[in-house]
Amino acid sequence: MIRWLDRAVGVLSVACFAASTALVCANVFYRYAVLGGLRRAAAEHAWVEPIYRGFDQTLSLISGTADELPGLLLVWIAFLGGYLALREGKHISFDLLVDKLPRLAGRWVRALVALSVAGFLCVVVVEGVRMIQSSGATEIETAEIAQGWFMVAVPLAAALMIVAIVWQLIALWRDRDGEGC
């Protein structure tokens, strides 16, 4: 089940990255090709005017959103990436001392660290939900999208990380490598 969750989070992360990239590319095209080149060409050649107007009317609708939305999608990418990094054991850790401890003591220290992180993540979940309740209905400046859709990445990723930590603790106490613990 955890592998399925990892894949789903990976797919969602890639989708956020792809949407962000597409919006940035569309915005760059609009600013430089349409507002720069086509506008100038339309002023000099009448036959370019309808082409310019068509692109301008279509892309101007997303221009403001394409400025703000990629930054907000970056929040999703970062927090979902945090979960994936935790699952793969890619977060920075200073385990030189723990590795020198006897096996049982090392397992206890790793478990205490994991439980401390899980406790902190529980606070992040609770406060993240409170944050969404207090200001999540406010719409972003450039589109009719509630900020809560972007804020939910924080408590969701924290909850996913708690699941990953529980999975790692189970593996640790079953005497496996802990898969990133």
Side-chain angles (χ1 to χ4, degrees):
M1 180 186 104
I2 196 84
R3 299 283 180 221
W4 178 87
L5 185 60
D6 292 350
R7 278 190 220 112
V9 170
V11 166
L12 183 56
S13 299
V14 168
C16 289
F17 182 74
S20 182
T21 301
L23 286 167
V24 168
C25 289
N27 207 22
V28 167
F29 176 79
Y30 176 66
R31 286 184 181 176
Y32 294 101
V34 176
L35 293 181
L38 277 179
R39 181 189 286 169
R40 240 179 279 120
E44 296 173 12
H45 307 286
W47 65 270
V48 179
E49 179 72 23
I51 298 169
Y52 163 69
R53 291 280 174 225
F55 273 113
D56 185 44
Q57 288 174 352
T58 303
L59 293 176
S60 67
L61 298 173
I62 66 163
S63 178
T65 303
D67 273 343
E68 191 172 12
L69 211 50
L72 294 170
L73 287 171
L74 184 62
V75 173
W76 275 91
I77 295 165
F79 278 91
L80 293 176
Y83 162 77
L84 293 172
L86 180 65
R87 282 286 299 132
E88 295 176 11
K90 303 292 183 185
H91 282 290
I92 190 167
S93 64
F94 303 100
D95 53 5
L96 182 65
L97 177 63
V98 176
D99 289 344
K100 299 293 183 195
L101 292 173
R103 187 176 175 107
L104 184 61
R107 283 173 53 184
W108 274 103
V109 169
R110 288 180 197 280
L112 287 173
V113 168
L115 288 171
S116 298
V117 171
F120 171 75
L121 290 170
C122 287
V123 172
V124 171
V125 169
V126 169
E127 292 303 316
V129 169
R130 287 183 48 192
M131 175 182 66
I132 292 167
Q133 289 172 338
S134 69
S135 61
T138 306
E139 293 180 348
I140 64 173
E141 302 251 344
T142 57
E144 294 179 5
I145 303 171
Q147 288 181 6
W149 287 108
F150 303 101
M151 293 176 176
V152 77
V154 175
L156 176 65
L160 287 169
M161 288 183 211
I162 292 168
V163 169
I165 288 170
V166 168
W167 188 264
Q168 291 170 350
L169 285 170
I170 291 169
L172 181 68
W173 289 109
R174 285 186 176 166
D175 203 26
R176 289 189 268 148
D177 70 354
E179 296 181 38
C181 190

